[in-house]
Amino acid sequence: MHNNGLHSDESRPYIPTLMTAATTGLSATDQPAEFPFPHRHLLGIQDLSPDEITYLLNLSNKYAEHNRARGRKFDLMRDKTLINLFFEDSTRTRTSFELAGMRLGADVINIAVANSSIKKGETIVDTAMTLNAMHADALVVRHSNAGAVKLLSEKVNCAVINGGDGSHEHPTQALLDALTIRRRKGTLQGLLVALCGDVAHSRVARSNIYLLQTMGARVRVIAPPTLVPSAMERLGVEVFHDMRAGLDSCDIVMMLRLQRERMEGSFVPSVNEYFHFYGLDYDKLQHAKPDALIMHPGPMNRGVEIDSDVADDLDRSAIREQVEMGVAVRMACLDVLTRESLKAAP
């Protein structure tokens, strides 16, 4: 059953950010006295506690419900500036951050790295100095190198959100995946989640493993040996190389894109053989629970990691809902990180 209520995995009270009839949006005065999200930046899931994750999910759920209503504009970021700095191409993440900023009332600037001074040899430290001079309030960064976003966060005065750094982390993707699961299943606690595909090159997989285990879910990874990092089992996940065995009794089946742009050398014999053994179709899916939820962070390679009929299954696929929840989660993250109470945070 589709469940859009607020659940605690939780058995923790929901701490609301309320909207009243007298306001156009969520105001800073609605914030609880003891702010449960003390971080200045959002660089990864690994740094977050269960309470902090729960807070972000609860606030994201409020925004998700509001976005489905007619009144979509807030003024929480009025007179504030959001800069999207993407060193890698992106459609979903950049666009959803842009839309999230606009719905919160921010001025949004997208910096085209291909046409910027960065392409002319400017260092990331010099870029930080330039951005500081613009007096931005929030900066979303995607970079091909793990750790680059953290380095930038140490050089700027504004809040920084990691939009994906190399094969390291993609925190807002994990949050939107968790929100999607919680709205469909009511909880994260006790679920068995399978992450299937190119785990070795996936920042989405790492952030999801951290979040799901923190919130009490069990995680399996299913992939050929060439696409599973050697230290994966140290993270507490179960590793399978057979798709049917790995999907047995799973509540969630999350497919991962085959990231050929990050591969040096041959990791799979061919895409046809990869789909035969590891692509999700109804034959393999029948080994999961009958109500198993189908997910994919996108972009999808249809016929490579997932069959089109499975991806478009109206009852079991939550792929479109993941895109919708992405805007709500990024609104929540921008909201909490630009609150006045966070300006003095270390």
Side-chain angles (χ1 to χ4, degrees):
M1 181 179 292
H2 206 37
N3 194 325
N4 291 336
L6 296 172
H7 294 266
S8 183
D9 270 79
E10 309 182 321
S11 56
R12 300 182 184 89
Y14 168 54
I15 307 174
T17 305
L18 300 174
M19 183 175 70
T20 67
T23 62
T24 57
L26 306 173
S27 70
T29 57
D30 294 321
Q31 182 59 49
E34 294 184 4
F35 194 56
F37 196 85
H39 305 281
R40 182 170 180 79
H41 308 296
L42 180 59
L43 303 179
I45 294 296
Q46 197 172 17
D47 302 326
L48 304 183
S49 70
D51 285 334
E52 291 162 354
I53 292 171
T54 299
Y55 179 79
L56 287 176
L57 293 179
N58 286 340
L59 182 57
S60 297
N61 197 73
K62 294 285 288 185
Y63 278 120
E65 292 303 308
H66 181 77
N67 286 342
R68 289 186 172 183
R70 291 185 179 274
R72 295 183 177 179
K73 290 285 288 186
F74 293 90
D75 61 358
L76 289 171
M77 289 186 68
R78 184 178 59 189
D79 300 326
K80 294 181 179 178
T81 302
L82 165 66
I83 296 178
N84 288 322
L85 179 63
F86 279 60
F87 293 82
E88 290 184 315
D89 292 335
S90 169
T91 299
R92 289 164 181 76
T93 303
R94 195 205 68 194
T95 302
S96 63
F97 267 113
E98 182 177 4
L99 185 55
M102 293 172 64
R103 287 187 179 174
L104 292 173
D107 296 319
V108 181
I109 299 172
N110 294 313
I111 296 181
V113 171
N115 301 319
S116 71
S117 297
I118 297 165
K119 275 291 184 181
K120 301 174 184 177
E122 182 176 85
T123 68
I124 196 167
V125 175
D126 289 331
T127 300
M129 294 174 60
T130 301
L131 294 173
N132 268 335
M134 296 179 183
H135 301 293
D137 297 279
L139 175 65
V140 180
V141 185
R142 169 169 285 191
H143 201 283
S144 59
N145 295 329
V149 180
K150 183 178 187 301
L151 175 62
L152 193 57
S153 73
E154 295 168 352
K155 306 296 181 181
V156 298
N157 297 327
C158 64
V160 175
I161 298 177
N162 185 356
D165 62 330
S167 298
H168 177 227
E169 278 220 53
H170 193 351
T172 58
Q173 180 68 47
L175 287 165
L176 74 88
D177 291 340
L179 180 62
T180 303
I181 294 170
R182 204 179 72 165
R183 287 169 64 91
R184 285 289 192 102
K185 296 294 186 180
T187 185
L188 297 171
Q189 179 75 37
L191 295 180
L192 181 55
V193 182
L195 304 178
C196 313
D198 187 2
V199 180
H201 302 95
S202 177
R203 53 198 173 204
V204 173
R206 281 161 180 75
S207 288
N208 266 293
I209 288 169
Y210 295 143
L211 189 151
L212 291 166
Q213 291 187 329
T214 298
M215 302 306 291
R218 291 170 53 204
V219 180
R220 292 177 177 173
V221 298
I222 308 171
T226 53
L227 294 178
V228 179
S230 58
M232 182 56 61
E233 289 179 332
R234 297 179 190 172
L235 297 179
V237 304
E238 301 174 76
V239 177
F240 288 82
H241 301 305
D242 180 271
M243 190 77 166
R244 292 168 177 82
L247 290 179
D248 182 55
S249 302
C250 284
D251 300 284
I252 310 294
V253 181
M254 186 181 300
M255 305 307 298
L256 301 171
R257 182 173 64 87
L258 196 62
Q259 299 190 37
R260 284 172 283 186
E261 73 277 9
R262 299 189 190 280
M263 297 180 183
E264 296 180 4
S266 178
F267 285 79
V268 295
S270 69
V271 293
N272 289 335
E273 186 170 341
Y274 181 82
F275 179 76
H276 176 73
F277 287 103
Y278 294 100
L280 186 66
D281 53 25
Y282 280 117
D283 177 62
K284 299 183 188 73
L285 185 61
Q286 70 178 341
H287 293 270
K289 286 185 177 179
D291 62 345
L293 195 63
I294 303 160
M295 303 179 71
H296 194 302
M300 287 185 292
N301 293 312
R302 292 172 180 261
V304 177
E305 63 253 2
I306 190 167
D307 181 78
S308 285
D309 289 341
V310 176
D312 298 331
D313 189 310
L314 295 178
D315 294 322
R316 302 181 67 179
S317 175
I319 295 171
R320 292 183 182 179
E321 190 174 348
Q322 286 174 272
V323 177
E324 179 188 3
M325 293 304 107
V327 178
V329 162
R330 282 145 188 160
M331 289 176 73
C333 292
L334 288 169
D335 177 0
V336 299
L337 290 173
T338 56
R339 295 285 177 111
E340 290 299 321
S341 58
L342 289 181
K343 294 301 183 183

